[in-house]
Amino acid sequence: MAGIKDLGVGIGWRSEIDLTVERLPGVDFVEVVAENLHVGHLPESVTLLLERGVPVLPHAVSLSLGGADPVDLHRVEHLGAVAEAVGAPMVSDHVCFVRAGGLDSGHLMPVPRTRDSLDVLVANVKLAQANLPVPLALENVAALLEWPDGELSEGQFLAELVERTDCWLLVDVANLYANARNIGTDPERFLDEIPLERLAYVHVAGGEQHGDIYHDTHAHAVLPEVLEVLDELCSRVAPPGVLLERDDNYPSDTEIASELAAIRAVVDKHRA
Amino acid sequence: MAVPTAARRTDVSAEEIGFLTAGPGRAAETALARLIDGGVVRVSRDGLVSAVHQNGHGATTDVETHIHNQVRSKSVRIGQVVQRAANSVKMDALQRDLRSRRLTRSPRPRLGAWWVFLVIGLFLALAAITEPWLLIGTAGFLGTAWYSFGAKPLTRAGRAALAGVTASDRVLAVALEGFRGRVGNQAVGDLFGLSQAVVKMIPRKKKARRMARGGGASGSAAACGSCGSGCGSSSCSSSSSSCGSSSGSSCSSGGSSCGGGGGGD
């Protein structure tokens, strides 16, 4: 795969807002949560979007590729089957773990940025890639803590992951912003360190400050500061796609359209 | 795109018109229709109702607030939303309010086995062939049965409140016809962008239909609305209007429209 084709500006398809997604102007592509779809029984709305020629990209949340537990190949196969069902050019999941010792965290947990941890992640990613029909992109997560004894920065960690697995990157600028707020990481350094030529697409989302913590809720409006991180990214590379994620407290169609327009304005500013 | 609700007479709300037309279920449907119309909730293709924002702003009646509270934090199937609202204490309060305003009266007991009275009446009528004095008894028996068990919950004032009410906007269309009904050639669900599969999730209540029939309002929009068919033309009153036609069609009153469809919020 030489490169990711231009996807444009998209939105995460969720069943609660399916009609909204269908009628919103300027939705170039959508992303579906793979675990929520049944192959052979796709939601009518997703089928309609496919008929219109809107690319549908499966996004997984449960592969737990950063975990020490063996990769659950049934989950990988399901992701691949969804990709084939929707004719997706790629699939994605996160650089994280969600299970350990038989327990499910219910959250995307950051992995320790050590070489040992990277070796585990690389092995798991290679196994997943071998069982997927399309390329895999991996996303940086929002972390509320940093594991001790880290040997690499997040950018270095992802750069080496790309080098060793040839995976693609899904950069979540809202997560970069959240990490900057909560654990003091530097989004610009991250962007300096990752191989931008391997950028598949970008996630944008909203969040909210609770006390000392910024929560990447996907249930609030996108902050201008998050769009500034997107602006910084776009100043370095033209992202193949940028996608708005909204998972709860869905606003009106008008507000969603405004957020998409704001994202498009940032992207177009640099393309012009 | 459906045209939003126009201003309407304020003495009886759309929700109350829904209640007077077909009972609590229709009032609940009307409250939901108002919330969709006001962009307070949205309905998905699968019939899941969810709140647009979770702050509850935009609900204007207790029944609307009840519906909004149901769907504030999680999506709920449309049929369940309507059913819960119809059976809620808020709906009881609405019913009491309508009764206190003398638009409805205390419901008399209704007998499902009404035909038993008919059979007895028929038997008496046949017996009257040989004993003519039984005719008086027959008439008296049927009259008493009708008075005791007949369903006439609307008062004269209630019937008057419904007289002349037309489906001049999509919320009133729901009040009069229900989401499953039709306005002219157009399905009411279409006015909200709801598929037939979704509107069929809303339970159709025989009880509600009986109430509308009992409500009388002969020839009024109410009677047409609850019958669903057989009233001839659409509920729009103007002869020149045509709700069933494509975009831009409008009904007579207030410059509002029942044409269009789509855009539930």
Side-chain angles (χ1 to χ4, degrees), chain A residues 17-41:
Chain A
I17 53 168
D18 54 2
L19 290 168
T20 295
V21 172
E22 288 169 30
R23 64 182 166 233
L24 275 176
V27 171
D28 303 319
F29 75 108
V30 299
E31 189 187 72
V32 291
V33 177
E35 285 82 354
N36 293 346
L37 260 57
H38 301 283
V39 177
H41 188 65

Side-chain angles (χ1 to χ4, degrees), chain B residues 4-90:
Chain B
T5 309
R8 63 170 76 90
R9 348 172 357 188
T10 53
D11 49 347
V12 183
S13 70
E15 196 175 287
E16 291 166 342
I17 289 168
F19 194 103
L20 294 175
T21 302
R26 184 65 60 76
E29 284 186 56
T30 309
L32 175 60
R34 223 289 304 161
L35 290 173
I36 299 171
D37 188 71
V40 183
V41 303
R42 56 160 59 86
V43 185
S44 77
R45 199 173 264 281
D46 292 337
L48 288 171
V49 184
S50 59
V52 174
H53 288 305
Q54 294 173 344
N55 54 26
H57 294 161
T60 58
T61 69
D62 286 347
V63 177
E64 288 180 12
T65 303
H66 181 274
I67 290 175
H68 190 270
N69 286 342
Q70 282 188 60
V71 302
R72 180 180 292 185
S73 57
K74 64 179 192 312
S75 303
V76 183
R77 295 262 170 224
I78 190 168
Q80 207 171 5
V81 169
V82 170
Q83 216 157 16
R84 283 181 187 168
N87 295 325
S88 68
V89 291
K90 303 299 181 191

